[in-house]
Amino acid sequence: MSHIKLATLDGVATIEIARPEKKNALTVAMYQAMADALRAAVADPAVRAVLITGQPGVFTSGNDIDDFMARPSAIGGSEAKASPVFQFMRALLECDKPVVAAVTGAAIGIGTTMLLHCDFVFVADDARLAMPFVSLGLVPEYASSLLVPQLMGHRRAAEKLLLGDPFTPEQAVECGIANAVLPAAEVASHARRVAERFNALPPSAVREAKRLMRAPQREQVLRVIAEEGALFTARLRSPEAMEAFQAFFQKRAPDFSKFS
Ligand code: COA
C-alpha cells in the first residue's frame, strides 16, 4: 500500500503523507513517490499549485529512523545525488509552481526543513515543529544550516538546530517559517483555498515570479545541501548516531557521556 496519496482536483495537485501508524515517518519509497509527484505536477498543465498535507495530528515525524539504520547508503552515500531523499529535495526546490503546506501535529526533521522550501505554510494550533538533527548525532540538512539562521538570527537558530528545541506554531509564524496559525480542523481547507487562488492568476507570470524570488540564493542553497548531505551521510554510521537511533527504538534517553 502506498503511503503517499495523490490527487489532482480543481488545479491543485495534493501530496498527502499517509502512514499514521508510524507517525508519517518517511521511507525511501515515500521520498521517491513525492519526488515523482512533484515532477508530474510541474509537467501537468492542469496543475496550478501543489498542496502538501499530512494526517490529523501528524504532518511527519521525519525520516524513518529504521531506514537511517538499515539503509544509510539509500539516504546518501556515494550515489547521494540519485538517492530518493535528494531527488525529493531537488524536485521541491525545482518546482516552479506554488507549493502550499498544511501542517498539523508533529513536523520533525525534514518535516520542518521542507517547509523552508514551500511558498506558503499554514500551521495548525496543534503543530509542533522541531529539527533534532544534532540530538540524533547528525547535522542539519536541506539547507537549514543556512536558511534557519538567515530567517531568525544565529541565537534563535541555535536553540532549534543545536539544542533541537521544539517550537510552537506561533513561534513558527513569528520567525517567518509559517504564514499563519489556524484551528487544526481548518488548516487543510484554508491551505487548499490559497492553492486554488492560483487558478485565477496568470500561470506563467506566477512561475517566472517564483523563479525570480528563488534565483539569488539558488546556487548557494544547492551548495549547502551538498555540503550538509556529505556530512549527514557520513554521520549516519557514527557511534553517536547509532546510540541515538537505538535509544529511540528502545524508548530510552540516549547516553552520549562516553563520547568526546
Ligand atoms: N522513524 C521510524 N519510526 C517512527 C518514527 C520515525 N521517525 N517516528 C515514529 N515512529 C514509530 C515509533 O517507533 C512507533 O512505532 P511502534 O508503534 O512500532 O512502537 C510509532 O511510530 C508511534 O510513535 P510514538 O513515538 O509511539 O508516538 P508518540 O505520539 O509518542 O510520539 C513523535 C510522536 C513524532 C513525537 C515521536 O514518534 C518521535 O519523536 N519520532 C521521531 C522523530 C525524529 O527524531 N525523527 C527524525 C528526524 S531527523
Side-chain angles (χ1 to χ4, degrees):
M1 194 196 88
S2 172
H3 296 297
I4 299 295
K5 293 187 185 163
L6 304 173
T8 296
L9 185 70
D10 298 334
V12 179
T14 301
I15 299 175
E16 180 187 339
I17 308 169
R19 194 188 177 208
E21 70 283 5
K22 292 289 178 187
K23 301 287 171 184
N24 278 359
L26 296 169
T27 61
V28 166
M30 291 163 74
Y31 283 114
Q32 187 64 57
M34 292 196 295
D36 294 345
L38 284 162
R39 292 195 182 117
V42 168
D44 184 348
V47 171
R48 294 296 187 91
V50 176
L51 175 62
I52 303 180
T53 70
Q55 300 296 304
V58 66
F59 183 62
T60 168
S61 62
N63 203 105
D64 187 293
I65 294 176
D66 247 333
D67 268 8
F68 271 162
M69 294 178 81
R71 312 178 62 185
S73 60
I75 307 294
S78 53
E79 71 279 30
K81 283 196 174 137
S83 81
V85 180
F86 284 85
Q87 285 198 46
F88 164 70
M89 290 183 179
R90 196 69 194 243
L92 182 55
L93 279 177
E94 285 171 358
C95 181
D96 62 358
K97 297 178 181 176
V99 180
V100 184
V103 180
T104 46
I108 303 184
I110 199 163
T112 290
T113 60
M114 76 166 85
L115 305 178
L116 302 169
H117 304 280
C118 295
D119 303 293
F120 301 87
V121 175
F122 298 103
V123 281
D125 48 15
D126 70 347
R128 287 292 175 273
L129 296 87
M131 295 175 281
F133 302 110
V134 168
S135 320
L136 288 167
L138 304 171
V139 291
E141 39 85 291
Y142 215 171
S144 54
S145 63
L146 169 73
L147 299 174
V148 176
Q150 235 173 39
L151 271 175
M152 60 190 79
H154 182 84
R155 251 66 48 189
R156 286 192 294 167
E159 293 169 354
K160 295 165 183 70
L161 289 176
L162 299 185
L163 291 173
D165 282 353
F167 51 109
T168 63
E170 290 77 16
Q171 287 169 318
V173 172
E174 195 240 331
C175 68
I177 288 182
N179 293 81
V181 185
L182 291 129
E186 291 169 26
V187 70
S189 54
H190 180 82
R192 167 164 281 280
R193 276 196 300 279
V194 171
E196 285 176 355
R197 283 179 59 186
F198 287 96
N199 288 319
L201 287 164
S204 66
V206 169
R207 289 196 300 274
E208 292 293 357
K210 174 167 174 172
R211 192 183 59 74
L212 285 167
M213 288 165 72
R214 298 282 182 179
Q217 265 206 311
R218 187 185 136 81
E219 292 308 316
Q220 193 184 13
V221 164
L222 288 171
R223 230 181 5 259
V224 172
I225 288 174
E227 192 184 340
E228 292 170 339
L231 273 170
F232 192 101
T233 302
R235 295 204 59 89
L236 282 173
R237 297 176 201 270
S238 68
E240 289 176 358
M242 283 303 150
E243 165 59 14
F245 300 158
Q246 281 163 7
F248 174 72
F249 287 119
Q250 291 164 6
K251 301 190 189 288
R252 63 170 171 83
D255 175 9
F256 300 119
S257 63
K258 58 181 178 289
F259 299 113
S260 56

